[in-house]
Amino acid sequence: MMDIGNDHIARKVQVNGIVQGVGFRPFIFGLAERYRLRGEVANTSGGVMIHIEGAPIKISLFLKELSASPPPLAHITDIFVHYEAIKGFTTFSIAQSRSPEKTSTLISPDMAVCEDCLRELFDPHNRRFVYPFINCTNCGPRYTIIEDIPYDRPKTSMKQFKMCGQCQQEYDNPKDRRFHAQPNACSVCGPQILLYNKSGKISDASHAIEKAAELVLAGNIIAIKGLGGFHLAVDARNDAAVTKLRKRKHREEKAFAIMAGDIKNIQEFAYVELEDEKLLRLARRPIVILRKKEPNNISKEVSPRNRFFGVILPYTPLHYLLLRKVGAPMVMTSGNISEEPIAIDNDDAFARLSGIADYFLAHNRDIYLRSDDSVVRNMAGETRFFRRSRGYAPMPVFINKKNVQVLACGAELKNTVCLTKDNKAFLSQHIGDLENLPTYNFFKMTIEHMKRINEIEPEVIACDLHPNYFSTRYAREQKELPVIQVQHHHAHIAACMAENQNKGPVIGLAFDGTGYGSDNTIWGSEILVADEQSFHRAAHLSCIPMPGGTASIKEPWRMAVSYLYHAYGDKIWDLDIPFVRNMDRNKIEIMIQMIQKKINSPETSSLGRLFDGIAALIGIRNQTVFEGQAAMELEMIANWPVRQGYDYGWTSRDHHILSLEPIITGVVSDMEKEISPAEISGKFHYTLIHMFSKICCFIRKETNINTTALSGGSFQNNLLLAGLIEDLNKFGFEVLSHRMVPPNDGNISLGQAVVAAALFRKGENTPSFNIH
């Protein structure tokens, strides 16, 4: 590399990764000047191309620092160095972007406003004082404003704003922090903020933020246009305002996120551990799940029947300005009616949100692609995603081999899509539940946008086995490409393997509420022996009827009846427990008749339904208003740690069926002894952890497999996740779990892509099941 015998040499350096829109070329320019090198640097559709000429030792030092100390928002995946002929450059310069036929550059996610810009924002002597769109190459919007690549201003939503003379000078100066910062602007030439009433008429043009703050403090709901879409904001201390927001948004009990001005403010109402503070301060700015302090000054309506708050620090200049004026934490929830995509367009927001918001704080910089806030929590010694979206998408997950180009359509709930290229799996931002036309349209738009900016032309499409999912229907409509259907729980385990770059085989524990099984029943407590191509269903919970089908999800008392009938039969009426005494006998009899006659009572092995049934049985709740609510509240009340559980066992034929009767009878026995629900919950969790660990040990003896993989929405339960990891480690297992993608259905598209690629390479396009 150093070529010490020559006076001067030349090298061509190709740098791939997130190297555009993050100050990379100015960094290279400054590095070249420091080492007195000559040449040029340019953006290409492949990343950044550098031609350098100079002394061998200087080039060697240049390359070493390039690799070791890139700009803060850069993420280098590859550096390729080639011999090059000397061209006789006399200076080092930044050249125009070049656009080859194929693209391999990575797009940066949107990032929170940096400390340098914040100092300028609140500096009365700075020309951008209180300008709500201040940004530089180290911060601000990226993914949500990009229409195409290379990432240059004409291909972003900033193309309509012609820079003033001063902004243009900054933009053109390689030594300036705003050199080629595509969203660069100021109050003279850039986007503007206005306050509108709910009719879309301008309410305040000159003091929009100050007036909005007054309205928040007066109990109004304000729709605020952010980076990835609109938020709905109210004073988080105001019971009446929060209740009004819940009623108008049709969000009865699910927790709202809170935005607070700084860490000190957060510590007034939540516990902030050192690792939590690191997450809160990340430039990616996720919502962080924090344990509540009691008492606190936050409205009880913000996060009812929950020990935790979801908290986020400000991440746009507008947020900082507004919070400074409000002087209190604000609820900051997605700008939509529940289950619809968040609004991103001003006119759409006026149309869809005027029944919720009293006023709109909006601007005229377009958002090309919506992106919800990401949600994380410190669990079992790691940062775990509940939702991976703004700040992380479209960063790829790096997988262990180069793959064919696959489009994976994901699950019905918590949908994401995934496209693969080489060794990269590009996971989309959170799309949502594919249960309505607006979300389905967003799903299709996201696919086209991701195909365009990553220049991916899929060779094969992957989707779920379920025939009626919107995502499955979409895949089947793409007649020009082969379609590979992937079983839901196999996809979960394949996603966990891919994230950990493990090819398998593994003992995979895929636990959730619902997944269409390869035997046409509802699965959800699956212990699979799996690799990338196939799986064998090694064990699962006993299959239990769901009287009323999907109605059992919203009314978990139905599952409680089913579990009791499974364990006691007609002796259910002899049980001296509150559930039987207090429940309408006629309702229980109808459920039993449905079970006996197999009327709309599909069988399920779902762990999620077991959590629901136990929650209803011990009196936590009989009805739910959002997915996973009963299970979450069962975890919340648990006395932990405990050192005893209930009996368990399994029967073994061609695979192992874990018996539920000992667990149900143990719970009922404790209820008859008037043991508290909190203690029962703790014993229930303890039982599951030990039962699943023991069956894994049993399967290890059968298969000689020592690696386990944990995936599925049930692993958002901290007691279950941490307990199983601890137990499996104690038994000598290698344990794979999720750290880069959520354990829930947000990872299904990644797993589908991996399985489909493996089967396509093998020349198969049949569903990925192998049940004996």
Side-chain angles (χ1 to χ4, degrees), residues 301-559:
E301 297 299 314
V302 169
S303 184
R305 301 183 72 168
N306 196 321
R307 292 182 180 177
F308 297 88
F309 287 126
V311 186
I312 189 170
L313 285 173
Y315 56 88
T316 70
L318 176 57
H319 292 150
Y320 276 98
L321 292 167
L322 182 60
L323 276 163
R324 183 165 286 199
K325 294 294 181 182
V326 172
M330 295 191 300
V331 164
M332 197 70 77
T333 190
S334 53
N336 60 352
I337 296 174
S338 291
E339 310 310 329
E340 289 186 0
I342 55 174
I344 58 173
D345 175 78
N346 290 357
D347 290 339
D348 178 49
F350 294 143
R352 285 204 286 139
L353 303 182
S354 60
I356 305 175
D358 299 306
Y359 293 88
F360 293 78
L361 191 60
H363 57 76
N364 57 342
R365 184 180 68 201
D366 290 336
I367 299 170
Y368 279 154
L369 205 65
R370 58 177 53 85
S371 192
D372 288 87
D373 295 324
S374 296
V375 183
V376 300
R377 180 182 172 190
N378 278 309
M379 294 172 58
E382 300 277 358
T383 300
R384 314 282 179 174
F385 281 94
F386 281 26
R387 183 168 69 206
R388 182 184 184 272
S389 199
R390 180 197 49 75
Y392 296 90
M395 271 285 290
V397 175
F398 292 91
I399 48 185
N400 61 13
K401 66 176 72 172
K402 289 193 173 184
N403 277 301
V404 295
Q405 296 190 2
V406 180
L407 164 61
C409 298
E412 185 84 338
L413 301 180
K414 297 179 176 63
N415 180 269
T416 62
V417 298
C418 181
L419 290 105
T420 60
K421 184 178 185 179
D422 299 327
N423 68 333
K424 303 175 188 71
F426 294 94
L427 207 63
S428 77
Q429 73 277 33
H430 170 78
I431 292 172
D433 297 347
L434 290 181
E435 296 179 332
N436 55 63
L437 186 59
T439 308
Y440 182 57
N441 289 335
F442 175 33
F443 162 84
K444 292 190 292 183
M445 182 184 74
T446 301
I447 290 172
E448 294 306 313
H449 188 267
M450 289 184 66
K451 284 166 60 177
R452 182 170 64 253
I453 66 171
N454 293 300
E455 287 198 357
I456 292 176
E457 287 300 328
E459 302 167 68
V460 60
I461 299 180
C463 65
D464 196 88
L465 284 182
H466 199 297
N468 295 324
Y469 282 178
F470 271 119
S471 52
T472 304
R473 292 177 184 178
Y474 171 87
R476 288 177 170 171
E477 288 169 0
Q478 314 310 305
K479 302 296 185 183
E480 71 281 5
L481 292 174
V483 175
I484 294 178
Q485 292 184 267
V486 180
Q487 198 281 322
H488 185 91
H489 300 94
H490 186 200
H492 269 312
I493 299 306
C496 188
M497 291 163 56
E499 177 185 330
N500 289 278
Q501 299 196 347
N502 186 297
K503 299 178 183 179
V506 300
I507 300 170
L509 287 73
F511 298 161
D512 58 11
T514 301
Y516 194 78
S518 48
D519 60 355
N520 302 319
T521 64
I522 302 169
W523 291 8
S525 61
E526 309 314 307
I527 302 179
L528 311 176
V529 173
D531 58 21
E532 291 178 339
Q533 297 181 13
S534 63
F535 71 90
H536 162 63
R537 194 184 190 194
H540 60 84
L541 295 175
S542 302
C543 292
I544 302 296
M546 292 174 60
T550 55
S552 295
I553 300 173
K554 293 287 188 182
E555 299 179 7
W557 67 268
R558 294 169 179 256
M559 290 308 303

Side-chain angles (χ1 to χ4, degrees), residues 160-397:
Q160 64 176 303
F161 300 101
K162 180 177 173 57
M163 282 182 281
C164 66
Q166 284 181 284
C167 286
Q168 189 69 53
Q169 284 180 1
E170 295 167 335
Y171 185 88
D172 292 334
N173 182 1
K175 297 182 179 180
D176 195 284
R177 200 175 85 250
R178 293 187 171 87
F179 174 73
H180 282 210
Q182 306 308 334
N184 188 35
C186 70
S187 59
V188 173
C189 62
Q192 301 296 319
I193 193 83
L194 295 171
L195 184 68
Y196 300 84
N197 63 25
K198 65 194 318 175
S199 302
K201 301 257 179 88
I202 295 175
S203 176
D204 197 303
S206 56
H207 300 93
I209 296 172
E210 291 85 347
K211 182 62 177 177
E214 292 173 9
L215 291 166
V216 168
L217 291 171
N220 290 281
I221 301 171
I222 311 295
I224 302 169
K225 190 175 184 181
L227 279 183
F230 277 82
H231 284 107
L232 293 164
V234 296
D235 184 342
R237 307 164 302 176
N238 187 325
D239 282 338
V242 178
T243 301
K244 179 170 67 174
L245 177 58
R246 285 203 176 279
K247 183 178 179 181
R248 292 184 184 178
K249 188 174 160 68
H250 305 301
R251 183 163 169 159
E252 296 175 54
E253 295 183 44
K254 195 173 184 180
F256 286 136
I258 302 170
M259 182 176 282
D262 54 37
I263 297 294
K264 185 178 179 181
N265 189 195
I266 296 171
Q267 289 172 329
E268 293 175 5
F269 58 84
Y271 294 97
V272 183
E273 305 296 337
L274 179 61
E275 291 304 313
D276 297 326
E277 183 171 346
K278 289 178 183 177
L279 289 175
L280 287 163
R281 293 188 185 278
L282 285 175
R284 301 178 186 278
R285 279 298 196 281
I287 295 170
V288 182
I289 307 299
L290 302 175
R291 190 161 55 93
K292 290 179 180 178
K293 282 184 177 177
E294 296 289 359
N296 61 68
N297 65 344
I298 302 299
S299 166
K300 301 302 180 186
E301 297 299 314
V302 169
S303 184
R305 301 183 72 168
N306 196 321
R307 292 182 180 177
F308 297 88
F309 287 126
V311 186
I312 189 170
L313 285 173
Y315 56 88
T316 70
L318 176 57
H319 292 150
Y320 276 98
L321 292 167
L322 182 60
L323 276 163
R324 183 165 286 199
K325 294 294 181 182
V326 172
M330 295 191 300
V331 164
M332 197 70 77
T333 190
S334 53
N336 60 352
I337 296 174
S338 291
E339 310 310 329
E340 289 186 0
I342 55 174
I344 58 173
D345 175 78
N346 290 357
D347 290 339
D348 178 49
F350 294 143
R352 285 204 286 139
L353 303 182
S354 60
I356 305 175
D358 299 306
Y359 293 88
F360 293 78
L361 191 60
H363 57 76
N364 57 342
R365 184 180 68 201
D366 290 336
I367 299 170
Y368 279 154
L369 205 65
R370 58 177 53 85
S371 192
D372 288 87
D373 295 324
S374 296
V375 183
V376 300
R377 180 182 172 190
N378 278 309
M379 294 172 58
E382 300 277 358
T383 300
R384 314 282 179 174
F385 281 94
F386 281 26
R387 183 168 69 206
R388 182 184 184 272
S389 199
R390 180 197 49 75
Y392 296 90
M395 271 285 290
V397 175

Side-chain angles (χ1 to χ4, degrees), residues 590-755:
I590 291 172
M591 293 303 106
I592 292 174
Q593 289 176 22
M594 292 175 70
I595 292 167
Q596 290 173 334
K597 297 176 182 180
K598 299 183 179 180
I599 298 172
N600 191 21
S601 297
E603 292 200 334
T604 181
S605 61
S606 166
L607 182 60
R609 298 293 77 78
L610 178 59
F611 269 93
D612 288 351
I614 297 297
L617 181 59
I618 66 175
I620 293 175
R621 69 167 49 245
N622 287 332
Q623 293 185 314
T624 65
V625 293
F626 62 85
E627 185 201 7
Q629 184 179 17
M632 181 193 75
E633 292 177 0
L634 182 62
E635 178 194 3
M636 293 292 166
I637 69 161
N639 277 349
W640 197 262
V642 297
R643 287 292 174 262
Q644 62 174 327
Y646 301 114
D647 292 338
Y648 60 85
W650 59 80
T651 58
S652 301
R653 295 184 182 88
D654 51 355
H655 63 286
H656 311 294
I657 299 176
L658 304 169
S659 176
L660 293 172
E661 287 182 38
I663 300 174
I664 301 302
T665 56
V667 169
V668 169
S669 176
D670 275 354
M671 293 177 69
E672 289 176 332
K673 297 172 187 174
E674 298 186 349
I675 302 297
S676 72
E679 189 170 342
I680 293 173
S681 176
K683 291 173 69 175
F684 173 69
H685 281 85
Y686 181 92
T687 304
L688 294 181
I689 290 164
H690 286 272
M691 178 175 67
F692 291 132
S693 298
K694 288 291 187 180
I695 193 66
C696 285
C697 292
F698 198 84
I699 294 169
R700 177 171 58 185
K701 290 180 181 178
E702 297 177 322
T703 63
N704 204 32
I705 297 171
N706 195 55
T707 301
T708 56
L710 313 182
S711 191
S714 294
F715 286 110
Q716 290 182 171
N717 180 315
N718 186 44
L719 300 183
L720 185 65
L721 175 67
L724 261 175
I725 290 175
E726 181 182 358
D727 243 31
L728 291 168
N729 281 330
K730 183 177 69 178
F731 289 125
F733 284 98
E734 178 188 6
V735 184
L736 310 180
S737 60
H738 291 290
R739 295 176 304 280
M740 292 184 283
V741 299
N744 59 36
D745 284 4
N747 73 43
I748 287 291
S749 60
L750 173 60
Q752 289 173 346
V754 170
V755 174

Side-chain angles (χ1 to χ4, degrees), residues 14-17 19-20 42-49 103-106:
Q14 173 70 41
V15 186
N16 297 335
V19 290
Q20 294 187 16
N43 276 347
T44 71
S45 288
V48 166
M49 185 70 74
T103 297
S104 60
T105 191
L106 301 179

